[in-house]
Amino acid sequence: MVSGEAKSKASEKEISNGENFTLHVHKKDRTLVTPAGSTKKELYYLSNLDQNIAVTVQTIYCFKSEEKGNEQVFETLRESLSKVLVDFYPLAGRITFKEGKLIVDCNGEGAVFVEAKADCEMDRIGDIAKPDPSMLGILVYNIPDAKNILEIPPLVAQVTKFKCGGFVLGLAMNHCMFDGIGAMEFVNSWAETAKGKTPSIKPFMDRTVLIPRNPLSVDFVHHEFTDLDDLSNTSKNLQDETLLYQSFHFNQERLNHIKTLAMKDGALEKCTTFEALTAFVWRARSDALGYDMNQQTKLLFAVNGRSRLEPPLPKGYFGNGILLTNSLCNVGELLSNPLSYTVKLVQKAIKTVTNDYIRSAIDYFEITRKRPSLASTLVITTWSRLDFHSTDFGWGEPVQSGPVTLPQKEVILFLSNGKEKKSVNVLLGLPQFAMERFKDLMEI
């Protein structure tokens, strides 16, 4: 057991009928869950695709079964976590630095596990698609006084029981350990183990398949690392001002309407939902933030490189198989041109991501050790294709699941609307003045 304080935390939330509701959660001392069997003790290699996204991602899963209470949930999740950590052993280690790069010390110290109890029924936390970070943050354990990611274990789990028999699993996982696909495969393997099943996907652990080339060769311009002059002072506004978080729902009808707007001038042969929505949101956010028309703005978004690499990454690859691709555009051009113009920029950025481009980006980081610059930048992360909603630890699929907050202020998340794969929730945070303008631009 690791020392820690057992105490109640509280968050106040105003619910729809005007009533102020305070969520009280009593957390026990944190414990460490170690792998149930012997594991390798090694320094575990993280590829250059892992190095640039070392942020903690917090998610919650809400479970409520009509047939089964939550009496055994602490024991079930703790014991199954111990078992699944045998295969996913780096998650029981600690992140450290070696020669200017992140690496995992697989010391078997253990994942952090916290038992907690809430003094209310689970439905009082409301719809998590409309995020309230101060409320939902209580359902995820934060390491006290951690100054940086090296002081935060790569996997932290909190299980909170509610009086109704439901429970919430709150996870804090470092993105350098895996991308969304890898995280989903880990959580689903844990869930299968909790039900006494053998995980359906075994992790492929060797990240050296993405080792830099010898000799190194940077064959492309990598604008994702380019520092832009912040003529509009937007970065300071995002850091200094309190952000309002809001989720915007795009059903099939609204998504089709945006695609129609993009296609109507005949400049595009075809257009996907992702391309149209990304272009629409990039323009709207740039407008809402009041950028100087001469400001250059950058769009960054993740492209799954698993099948684009030669050879493709193996099934079950444990790590990041995504690459941040980019597009640069002058704000005046972005806003004065039709939506099809922006869609073309997005399409070009996607088309850029080939095996050669990914290998060039890996080599670029090896030479420069640069991180992507986020000045005057929008980062879009897509979770809408991830199947987190099917995770079942033995209490059925989640009633709801999603992020606690955004990992960085420049990020917008595209989320699926529950099991409804054809709808997208767009989650972002903006200063109040910008959010009001953004809301108006969403009325189409």
Side-chain angles (χ1 to χ4, degrees), residues 136-153:
L136 301 182
I138 290 177
L139 301 171
V140 179
Y141 186 75
N142 291 295
I143 303 298
D145 304 319
K147 300 178 187 66
N148 54 59
I149 60 161
L150 302 183
E151 297 180 9
I152 303 173

PDB file of all heavy atoms in Angstrom, residues 136-153:
ATOM      1  N   LEU A 136     -16.718  15.810 -12.868  1.00  0.00           N
ATOM      2  CA  LEU A 136     -16.226  14.506 -13.314  1.00  0.00           C
ATOM      3  C   LEU A 136     -14.804  14.239 -12.818  1.00  0.00           C
ATOM      4  O   LEU A 136     -14.420  13.089 -12.629  1.00  0.00           O
ATOM      5  CB  LEU A 136     -16.272  14.422 -14.849  1.00  0.00           C
ATOM      6  CG  LEU A 136     -17.645  14.608 -15.497  1.00  0.00           C
ATOM      7  CD1 LEU A 136     -17.544  14.444 -17.003  1.00  0.00           C
ATOM      8  CD2 LEU A 136     -18.668  13.650 -14.916  1.00  0.00           C
ATOM      9  N   GLY A 137     -14.041  15.298 -12.598  1.00  0.00           N
ATOM     10  CA  GLY A 137     -12.662  15.136 -12.133  1.00  0.00           C
ATOM     11  C   GLY A 137     -12.554  14.457 -10.784  1.00  0.00           C
ATOM     12  O   GLY A 137     -11.523  13.846 -10.469  1.00  0.00           O
ATOM     13  N   ILE A 138     -13.605  14.531  -9.979  1.00  0.00           N
ATOM     14  CA  ILE A 138     -13.604  13.873  -8.675  1.00  0.00           C
ATOM     15  C   ILE A 138     -13.653  12.347  -8.837  1.00  0.00           C
ATOM     16  O   ILE A 138     -13.284  11.599  -7.944  1.00  0.00           O
ATOM     17  CB  ILE A 138     -14.796  14.386  -7.835  1.00  0.00           C
ATOM     18  CG1 ILE A 138     -14.540  15.837  -7.443  1.00  0.00           C
ATOM     19  CG2 ILE A 138     -15.023  13.552  -6.593  1.00  0.00           C
ATOM     20  CD1 ILE A 138     -15.668  16.468  -6.684  1.00  0.00           C
ATOM     21  N   LEU A 139     -14.110  11.894 -10.003  1.00  0.00           N
ATOM     22  CA  LEU A 139     -14.244  10.460 -10.253  1.00  0.00           C
ATOM     23  C   LEU A 139     -12.980   9.846 -10.834  1.00  0.00           C
ATOM     24  O   LEU A 139     -12.956   8.666 -11.178  1.00  0.00           O
ATOM     25  CB  LEU A 139     -15.441  10.226 -11.185  1.00  0.00           C
ATOM     26  CG  LEU A 139     -16.779  10.737 -10.643  1.00  0.00           C
ATOM     27  CD1 LEU A 139     -17.856  10.662 -11.702  1.00  0.00           C
ATOM     28  CD2 LEU A 139     -17.182   9.955  -9.387  1.00  0.00           C
ATOM     29  N   VAL A 140     -11.933  10.649 -10.965  1.00  0.00           N
ATOM     30  CA  VAL A 140     -10.618  10.171 -11.408  1.00  0.00           C
ATOM     31  C   VAL A 140      -9.592  10.612 -10.379  1.00  0.00           C
ATOM     32  O   VAL A 140      -9.654  11.739  -9.878  1.00  0.00           O
ATOM     33  CB  VAL A 140     -10.254  10.734 -12.798  1.00  0.00           C
ATOM     34  CG1 VAL A 140      -8.883  10.263 -13.239  1.00  0.00           C
ATOM     35  CG2 VAL A 140     -11.291  10.339 -13.830  1.00  0.00           C
ATOM     36  N   TYR A 141      -8.649   9.731 -10.060  1.00  0.00           N
ATOM     37  CA  TYR A 141      -7.661  10.054  -9.024  1.00  0.00           C
ATOM     38  C   TYR A 141      -6.491  10.825  -9.625  1.00  0.00           C
ATOM     39  O   TYR A 141      -5.905  10.411 -10.632  1.00  0.00           O
ATOM     40  CB  TYR A 141      -7.149   8.774  -8.367  1.00  0.00           C
ATOM     41  CG  TYR A 141      -6.225   9.041  -7.191  1.00  0.00           C
ATOM     42  CD1 TYR A 141      -6.735   9.470  -5.972  1.00  0.00           C
ATOM     43  CD2 TYR A 141      -4.849   8.888  -7.305  1.00  0.00           C
ATOM     44  CE1 TYR A 141      -5.907   9.715  -4.891  1.00  0.00           C
ATOM     45  CE2 TYR A 141      -4.003   9.131  -6.237  1.00  0.00           C
ATOM     46  CZ  TYR A 141      -4.541   9.552  -5.022  1.00  0.00           C
ATOM     47  OH  TYR A 141      -3.713   9.811  -3.970  1.00  0.00           O
ATOM     48  N   ASN A 142      -6.175  11.954  -9.007  1.00  0.00           N
ATOM     49  CA  ASN A 142      -5.011  12.741  -9.400  1.00  0.00           C
ATOM     50  C   ASN A 142      -3.909  12.560  -8.364  1.00  0.00           C
ATOM     51  O   ASN A 142      -4.163  12.675  -7.161  1.00  0.00           O
ATOM     52  CB  ASN A 142      -5.378  14.226  -9.505  1.00  0.00           C
ATOM     53  CG  ASN A 142      -6.305  14.498 -10.673  1.00  0.00           C
ATOM     54  OD1 ASN A 142      -5.928  14.329 -11.824  1.00  0.00           O
ATOM     55  ND2 ASN A 142      -7.540  14.910 -10.377  1.00  0.00           N
ATOM     56  N   ILE A 143      -2.702  12.270  -8.835  1.00  0.00           N
ATOM     57  CA  ILE A 143      -1.574  12.084  -7.919  1.00  0.00           C
ATOM     58  C   ILE A 143      -1.253  13.412  -7.239  1.00  0.00           C
ATOM     59  O   ILE A 143      -0.956  14.406  -7.924  1.00  0.00           O
ATOM     60  CB  ILE A 143      -0.331  11.570  -8.675  1.00  0.00           C
ATOM     61  CG1 ILE A 143      -0.643  10.257  -9.406  1.00  0.00           C
ATOM     62  CG2 ILE A 143       0.843  11.388  -7.722  1.00  0.00           C
ATOM     63  CD1 ILE A 143      -1.041   9.103  -8.532  1.00  0.00           C
ATOM     64  N   PRO A 144      -1.318  13.467  -5.902  1.00  0.00           N
ATOM     65  CA  PRO A 144      -1.087  14.739  -5.202  1.00  0.00           C
ATOM     66  C   PRO A 144       0.326  15.280  -5.456  1.00  0.00           C
ATOM     67  O   PRO A 144       1.306  14.532  -5.450  1.00  0.00           O
ATOM     68  CB  PRO A 144      -1.258  14.365  -3.721  1.00  0.00           C
ATOM     69  CG  PRO A 144      -2.023  13.087  -3.721  1.00  0.00           C
ATOM     70  CD  PRO A 144      -1.628  12.368  -4.968  1.00  0.00           C
ATOM     71  N   ASP A 145       0.388  16.566  -5.740  1.00  0.00           N
ATOM     72  CA  ASP A 145       1.665  17.288  -5.851  1.00  0.00           C
ATOM     73  C   ASP A 145       2.553  16.810  -7.001  1.00  0.00           C
ATOM     74  O   ASP A 145       3.746  17.110  -7.015  1.00  0.00           O
ATOM     75  CB  ASP A 145       2.465  17.211  -4.534  1.00  0.00           C
ATOM     76  CG  ASP A 145       1.671  17.717  -3.346  1.00  0.00           C
ATOM     77  OD1 ASP A 145       0.980  18.733  -3.506  1.00  0.00           O
ATOM     78  OD2 ASP A 145       1.728  17.083  -2.277  1.00  0.00           O
ATOM     79  N   ALA A 146       2.000  16.081  -7.968  1.00  0.00           N
ATOM     80  CA  ALA A 146       2.813  15.663  -9.120  1.00  0.00           C
ATOM     81  C   ALA A 146       3.156  16.893  -9.957  1.00  0.00           C
ATOM     82  O   ALA A 146       2.280  17.656 -10.353  1.00  0.00           O
ATOM     83  CB  ALA A 146       2.058  14.638  -9.953  1.00  0.00           C
ATOM     84  N   LYS A 147       4.448  17.088 -10.213  1.00  0.00           N
ATOM     85  CA  LYS A 147       4.906  18.284 -10.936  1.00  0.00           C
ATOM     86  C   LYS A 147       4.981  18.059 -12.431  1.00  0.00           C
ATOM     87  O   LYS A 147       4.951  18.999 -13.218  1.00  0.00           O
ATOM     88  CB  LYS A 147       6.270  18.724 -10.405  1.00  0.00           C
ATOM     89  CG  LYS A 147       6.281  19.064  -8.925  1.00  0.00           C
ATOM     90  CD  LYS A 147       7.675  19.454  -8.462  1.00  0.00           C
ATOM     91  CE  LYS A 147       7.738  19.630  -6.951  1.00  0.00           C
ATOM     92  NZ  LYS A 147       7.521  18.379  -6.216  1.00  0.00           N
ATOM     93  N   ASN A 148       5.100  16.802 -12.852  1.00  0.00           N
ATOM     94  CA  ASN A 148       5.209  16.506 -14.281  1.00  0.00           C
ATOM     95  C   ASN A 148       4.833  15.037 -14.502  1.00  0.00           C
ATOM     96  O   ASN A 148       4.582  14.295 -13.539  1.00  0.00           O
ATOM     97  CB  ASN A 148       6.622  16.797 -14.811  1.00  0.00           C
ATOM     98  CG  ASN A 148       7.693  16.067 -14.008  1.00  0.00           C
ATOM     99  OD1 ASN A 148       7.687  14.843 -13.911  1.00  0.00           O
ATOM    100  ND2 ASN A 148       8.608  16.822 -13.407  1.00  0.00           N
ATOM    101  N   ILE A 149       4.838  14.605 -15.758  1.00  0.00           N
ATOM    102  CA  ILE A 149       4.369  13.249 -16.068  1.00  0.00           C
ATOM    103  C   ILE A 149       5.288  12.172 -15.517  1.00  0.00           C
ATOM    104  O   ILE A 149       4.859  11.021 -15.348  1.00  0.00           O
ATOM    105  CB  ILE A 149       4.206  13.046 -17.586  1.00  0.00           C
ATOM    106  CG1 ILE A 149       5.536  13.259 -18.310  1.00  0.00           C
ATOM    107  CG2 ILE A 149       3.123  13.924 -18.147  1.00  0.00           C
ATOM    108  CD1 ILE A 149       5.569  12.651 -19.682  1.00  0.00           C
ATOM    109  N   LEU A 150       6.545  12.513 -15.214  1.00  0.00           N
ATOM    110  CA  LEU A 150       7.459  11.512 -14.661  1.00  0.00           C
ATOM    111  C   LEU A 150       7.049  11.118 -13.242  1.00  0.00           C
ATOM    112  O   LEU A 150       7.460  10.077 -12.742  1.00  0.00           O
ATOM    113  CB  LEU A 150       8.898  12.027 -14.663  1.00  0.00           C
ATOM    114  CG  LEU A 150       9.469  12.432 -16.027  1.00  0.00           C
ATOM    115  CD1 LEU A 150      10.932  12.845 -15.884  1.00  0.00           C
ATOM    116  CD2 LEU A 150       9.345  11.300 -17.043  1.00  0.00           C
ATOM    117  N   GLU A 151       6.240  11.946 -12.596  1.00  0.00           N
ATOM    118  CA  GLU A 151       5.797  11.670 -11.226  1.00  0.00           C
ATOM    119  C   GLU A 151       4.397  11.049 -11.195  1.00  0.00           C
ATOM    120  O   GLU A 151       3.825  10.861 -10.123  1.00  0.00           O
ATOM    121  CB  GLU A 151       5.835  12.963 -10.410  1.00  0.00           C
ATOM    122  CG  GLU A 151       7.247  13.536 -10.285  1.00  0.00           C
ATOM    123  CD  GLU A 151       7.290  14.818  -9.464  1.00  0.00           C
ATOM    124  OE1 GLU A 151       6.263  15.172  -8.849  1.00  0.00           O
ATOM    125  OE2 GLU A 151       8.345  15.469  -9.431  1.00  0.00           O
ATOM    126  N   ILE A 152       3.859  10.757 -12.392  1.00  0.00           N
ATOM    127  CA  ILE A 152       2.525  10.154 -12.481  1.00  0.00           C
ATOM    128  C   ILE A 152       2.651   8.768 -13.105  1.00  0.00           C
ATOM    129  O   ILE A 152       3.151   8.642 -14.229  1.00  0.00           O
ATOM    130  CB  ILE A 152       1.587  11.018 -13.342  1.00  0.00           C
ATOM    131  CG1 ILE A 152       1.493  12.440 -12.769  1.00  0.00           C
ATOM    132  CG2 ILE A 152       0.196  10.383 -13.418  1.00  0.00           C
ATOM    133  CD1 ILE A 152       0.726  13.401 -13.653  1.00  0.00           C
ATOM    134  N   PRO A 153       2.251   7.706 -12.420  1.00  0.00           N
ATOM    135  CA  PRO A 153       2.294   6.366 -13.018  1.00  0.00           C
ATOM    136  C   PRO A 153       1.495   6.336 -14.322  1.00  0.00           C
ATOM    137  O   PRO A 153       0.512   7.076 -14.472  1.00  0.00           O
ATOM    138  CB  PRO A 153       1.653   5.483 -11.942  1.00  0.00           C
ATOM    139  CG  PRO A 153       1.885   6.215 -10.658  1.00  0.00           C
ATOM    140  CD  PRO A 153       1.779   7.668 -11.020  1.00  0.00           C
TER     141      PRO A 153
END
